Amino acid sequence: MVSVVQKRRKTQEQRRAETRARLITATLELLIHRGYARATAADIAERAGVTRGALNHHFASKHDLVVQAVEHLLRSTIEDIRALAKRVRAGSMTLSEFIDKLWDMFSGPLFLVTLEYVTEARHSPFLKERLVPVVRDFHAALDSIWREFFKDTGLDDAQIETAFNASLCLLRGMGLQTILRDDPLYYRRIADFWKGILAGFSQQNRSRVRPGKVAGR
């Protein structure tokens, strides 16, 4: 039988988790809508519906709160990527569809949050040190899916990595451009053009690996 003390302790833990979750959500929302410099600790507390004292109780500083909010966002995204990996391995997701998923990431809230913390990390060793390992895990999760698409092409690791990084650089650049250019068709044409290049590159190398292979045999 659970004691009254244990029940009370569980309730306190739940409240603590809920408060932290509200603060993390508020931080991410303000990073998107106001930017790092304009998102003050007081603003975050107000948006989360908690006191400034409650914020200080759960997080040592605004930097600490931002780090943990970004870590939460990236790790949640990594879980989403792992779900995509299952579809890739099952053959139910194409390279074209995966590029579309990447574009969703690099043109939405994830990209806007990334833009804010990367800019701030240039001048904050604390942010940089804490976030580099998480960002590395994020890219490793993406890379593991990418390699599934090219595993039978005969491309070596360096070629696959280059194709992956070229894709990320293209999507990041497009994402940055969306800040000043709202033109979905423009970005769709660029993405489709790039997907065609990747598909041709992949098919060309498959032909080299299996010369003379006849369809249906």
Side-chain angles (χ1 to χ4, degrees):
M1 182 175 180
V2 180
S3 69
V4 175
V5 174
Q6 287 176 315
K7 287 183 178 180
R8 185 180 298 119
R9 182 180 298 119
K10 182 177 181 181
T11 300
Q12 289 172 345
E13 290 171 355
Q14 289 176 335
R15 289 176 179 172
R16 180 176 182 274
E18 289 171 358
T19 299
R20 288 177 62 86
R22 288 203 302 271
L23 285 166
I24 284 175
T25 298
T27 300
L28 294 173
E29 289 174 350
L30 287 176
L31 285 175
I32 293 170
H33 297 296
R34 294 190 189 177
Y36 187 94
R38 295 181 178 85
T40 66
D43 291 336
I44 293 171
E46 181 180 0
R47 192 177 188 93
V50 304
T51 65
R52 178 65 184 275
L55 186 152
N56 293 334
H57 175 73
H58 291 282
F59 299 96
S61 64
K62 174 186 167 181
H63 267 7
D64 181 46
L65 176 52
V66 168
V67 165
Q68 294 196 47
V70 172
E71 285 180 342
H72 171 78
L73 176 63
L74 290 179
R75 295 197 187 284
S76 296
T77 305
I78 288 172
E79 290 304 310
D80 293 339
I81 291 169
R82 286 173 178 159
L84 294 179
K86 293 181 180 179
R87 293 182 56 191
V88 172
R89 286 193 291 269
S92 62
M93 172 172 278
T94 65
L95 176 60
S96 175
E97 291 169 335
F98 184 59
I99 293 292
D100 289 338
K101 288 292 184 182
L102 289 179
W103 175 233
D104 288 342
M105 294 179 188
F106 285 96
S107 60
L110 174 65
F111 174 75
L112 295 175
V113 171
T114 299
L115 191 61
E116 292 299 324
Y117 76 71
V118 166
T119 302
E120 183 63 24
R122 289 183 60 228
H123 310 289
S124 172
F126 174 80
L127 278 175
K128 185 174 181 179
E129 182 180 0
R130 288 281 299 275
L131 291 176
V132 164
V134 186
V135 173
R136 187 184 300 123
D137 290 344
F138 172 71
H139 284 120
L142 288 176
D143 182 65
S144 66
I145 297 179
W146 189 262
R147 292 179 183 279
E148 284 289 321
F149 290 115
F150 293 91
K151 65 181 180 181
D152 297 323
T153 61
L155 294 168
D156 61 33
D157 288 345
Q159 291 172 311
I160 294 173
E161 182 179 354
T162 298
F164 174 61
N165 287 321
S167 299
L168 293 187
C169 287
L170 173 68
L171 294 171
R172 287 192 188 103
M174 289 165 58
L176 188 61
Q177 197 174 12
T178 62
I179 295 173
L180 297 177
R181 180 169 182 170
D182 182 13
D183 189 348
L185 181 59
Y186 168 78
Y187 301 112
R188 173 52 52 200
R189 286 172 175 167
I190 295 175
D192 288 344
F193 173 78
W194 183 245
K195 287 190 288 187
I197 291 176
L198 289 173
F201 186 49
S202 173
Q203 188 59 44
Q204 181 182 22
N205 281 274
R206 282 194 172 91
S207 299
R208 290 175 180 173
V209 173
R210 297 176 290 181
K213 182 176 177 61
V214 178
R217 293 187 181 179

